[in-house]
Amino acid sequence: MSQNTSNNRIDDITVETLYDIANLIASNNDWKAALDEVAHYIRPIFIFDNLVIYRDNPEDHNLDVFYARAMGRGRSAEADIAWGEALANQVIVSCGTILQEPTPEPNSDRLDQPYILGIPLKLDHTCLGTIIFIRFGGPPFSKKALQLAHFLAIQATLLVQKFNFEAQIKDLQTATRQAVLQENFINIMSHELLHPLGFIKGYATTLMRSEVEWDKESQREFLRIIDEETDKLQELISNLLDSARLQSGQMRMEFQFVRLDSMIHDIITRYTAFNPNIKIEVLSKQKLLPIVGDPLRLTQVIENLLNNAQKYAPGAPIRIKIDQNNQGVELVVTDYGPGISPEHLPHIFERFYRIPGKAEELHGSGLGLFICKEIVEAHHGSITASSELGKGTTFTLLLPYQP
Ligand code: ADP
């Protein structure tokens, strides 16, 4: 018998073994976990100290370490041992298998005697990367071991290809989202800026026409429209300015001690005086400790949430729950309106994001929640939303005692 006995297990390989390996790869969504499982599964059958998969990054054509695992002899000297990077580069360039065997030197350290096998991850004539197996001090790779290594290379190719596809899909999704946001921006600008301007100009011109004498009631109606449209313009411009200041870090916060419970009560008194039909319930059990924050900006956040509830959940009651814990104060604003569908929910805090459809018909810039999030984060707090269609939407704010 010429072969090292520990290499013999490779001869036990059956079709079931190959099936098991392919199944581990195919049935696990997490590719790292799948490779870990395969590495453990093959270890008793197939000797290796190090297993490395390099991926040829399609963006810059650098070789990225996709997966690396040191077992056996490599493990104790993980930081110092070779990972076959030079050979990996050669494999990629030639897109062919390379086997590097040391000249046996008796009494030399095993770590200095690596048998390195590099196999390209080949798909149609493209080399997606390479898989490297390293055995320190042998045994040499037998014919069967080479065959199994090629089988493992095919499995690794599938994983790397899947990874590449997923990365491409992510890039495309980002590009699509950017395009949508850009389109939103243009729509918002043309609608929210030009529309009110058109009204203002139209009614002002009408009022100025010398050949027509308008009665008092019509004059008041035209002036009311001009007044309302000017408010919308003012709101849009101040939202645009706030969002630009927040993005460039130029919004100055005037921090001071704030009692959030009394702040909320003041907001609600003011708010219901202007909107007598709105029902707002406040639940606050305990006397709250003050937080350090900017009262004007925090008021802006709460008012924005109330305005949104009124706009997108008209007629629905609103509930504000105030609580405190070790970290800070928690404000939970819930409306019992139509809710937000799960596909849109993760995006509502993005700049210029508006949910297509019904909400688009209502005036808005898609900046309100973005501004809320930036203000809350400037207080080192957080704001999140949860929603159920047909049931309502909840915004949860956590504001720490000290920003
Ligand atoms: P705007 O109200 O100017 O469109 P916001 O940033 O305040 O912008 O909100 C983003 C989007 O989130 C809105 O266009 C709306 O579709 C949705 N939205 C916000 N609040 C609610 C709510 N309480 N109920 C349902 N939808 C909401």
Side-chain angles (χ1 to χ4, degrees):
M1 223 167 84
S2 62
Q3 222 177 37
N4 185 321
T5 48
S6 58
N7 220 8
N8 283 348
R9 289 290 311 273
I10 195 85
D11 296 323
D12 299 341
I13 287 186
T14 60
V15 174
E16 280 76 31
T17 320
L18 302 184
Y19 171 80
D20 284 349
I21 294 171
N23 199 31
L24 283 175
I25 298 279
S27 60
N28 203 331
N29 261 340
D30 175 353
W31 58 266
K32 248 188 198 138
L35 284 169
D36 277 343
E37 283 188 49
V38 169
H40 272 106
Y41 182 86
I42 59 167
R43 192 52 193 147
I45 314 165
F46 177 79
I47 297 165
F48 67 91
D49 293 302
N50 287 0
L51 162 63
V52 196
I53 298 174
Y54 289 97
R55 169 178 168 261
D56 184 10
N57 189 329
E59 270 171 30
D60 51 16
H61 286 290
N62 277 335
L63 269 194
D64 294 344
V65 175
F66 184 72
Y67 179 82
R69 183 108 210 162
M71 292 176 133
R73 276 154 248 169
R75 211 186 161 107
S76 50
E78 201 165 313
D80 312 323
I81 48 144
W83 290 91
E85 198 171 341
L87 188 95
N89 277 308
Q90 292 172 36
V91 172
I92 292 279
V93 172
S94 66
C95 207
T97 300
I98 301 178
L99 176 59
Q100 218 171 55
E101 298 192 317
T103 320
E105 278 177 38
N107 307 326
S108 75
D109 186 337
R110 294 186 133 207
L111 288 177
D112 295 332
Q113 296 269 297
Y115 288 70
I116 313 181
L117 170 64
I119 304 174
L121 308 183
K122 226 178 349 186
L123 193 82
D124 290 336
H125 298 285
T126 313
C127 203
L128 303 183
T130 168
I131 187 165
I132 302 280
F133 300 95
I134 305 178
R135 291 176 170 182
F136 292 107
F141 290 91
S142 67
K143 191 171 165 217
K144 254 209 153 159
L146 288 174
Q147 283 171 338
L148 181 64
H150 275 94
F151 176 77
L152 292 168
I154 293 167
Q155 305 307 314
T157 308
L158 298 177
L159 281 185
V160 171
Q161 188 199 19
K162 188 171 160 226
F163 180 90
N164 287 349
F165 278 153
E166 282 170 359
Q168 274 173 6
I169 289 170
K170 250 193 211 144
D171 286 351
L172 279 174
Q173 280 170 339
T174 310
T176 313
R177 291 212 41 69
Q178 290 303 56
V180 169
L181 289 182
Q182 229 154 23
E183 203 185 308
N184 280 0
F185 174 73
I186 293 165
N187 284 344
I188 287 162
M189 282 302 145
S190 60
H191 191 262
E192 297 293 315
L193 209 65
L194 285 182
H195 235 234
L197 267 181
F199 274 118
I200 294 167
K201 169 84 181 140
Y203 282 104
T205 309
T206 309
L207 276 173
M208 283 193 316
R209 277 167 61 182
S210 51
E211 74 278 17
V212 191
E213 187 83 9
W214 298 105
D215 58 48
K216 275 247 165 333
E217 203 181 317
S218 304
Q219 282 182 24
R220 276 200 73 78
E221 176 59 11
F222 295 165
L223 287 172
R224 188 191 59 76
I225 295 170
I226 291 175
D227 186 52
E228 248 178 34
E229 296 302 314
T230 313
D231 282 349
K232 284 186 194 165
L233 272 185
Q234 234 169 9
E235 185 191 318
L236 174 68
I237 292 167
S238 86
N239 273 347
L240 281 169
L241 280 174
D242 278 354
S243 107
R245 283 196 194 107
L246 283 160
Q247 273 219 311
S248 61
Q250 285 183 2
M251 175 162 297
R252 286 237 310 276
M253 300 275 166
E254 306 283 343
F255 287 112
Q256 53 186 271
F257 283 111
V258 183
R259 300 198 67 101
L260 281 173
D261 39 2
S262 48
M263 191 188 98
I264 300 271
H265 281 106
D266 289 349
I267 294 173
I268 290 170
T269 309
R270 228 181 15 251
Y271 205 83
T272 42
F274 282 103
N275 308 277
N277 294 330
I278 200 162
K279 277 199 204 83
I280 308 175
E281 180 194 13
V282 182
L283 301 174
S284 110
K285 279 195 211 124
Q286 43 189 327
K287 209 166 157 40
L288 291 188
L289 293 169
I291 67 151
V292 175
D294 181 329
L296 278 181
R297 294 297 168 195
L298 292 174
T299 300
Q300 186 179 353
V301 171
I302 304 299
E303 284 184 347
N304 205 301
L305 295 180
L306 294 177
N307 284 337
N308 274 356
Q310 224 199 352
K311 200 165 28 158
Y312 301 110
I318 302 169
R319 197 182 70 188
I320 303 180
K321 209 166 135 247
I322 315 169
D323 230 327
Q324 67 189 354
N325 56 35
N326 289 343
Q327 270 100 52
V329 176
E330 185 186 74
L331 295 176
V332 184
V333 182
T334 303
D335 69 60
Y336 298 93
I340 300 171
S341 67
E343 73 203 270
H344 295 296
L345 194 62
H347 304 296
I348 57 172
F349 292 103
E350 288 171 17
R351 209 167 169 234
F352 298 121
Y353 192 84
R354 303 204 74 206
I355 298 177
K358 206 160 165 274
E360 268 179 327
E361 293 159 19
L362 301 161
H363 109 92
S365 58
L367 288 171
L369 289 178
F370 168 79
I371 291 171
C372 288
K373 183 165 173 280
E374 294 283 314
I375 292 175
V376 170
E377 285 178 359
H379 286 74
H380 290 114
S382 67
I383 177 167
T384 51
S386 61
S387 189
E388 208 178 320
L389 274 183
K391 296 236 164 115
T393 306
T394 296
F395 290 91
T396 305
L397 285 89
L398 285 170
L399 291 161
Y401 293 115
Q402 290 284 339

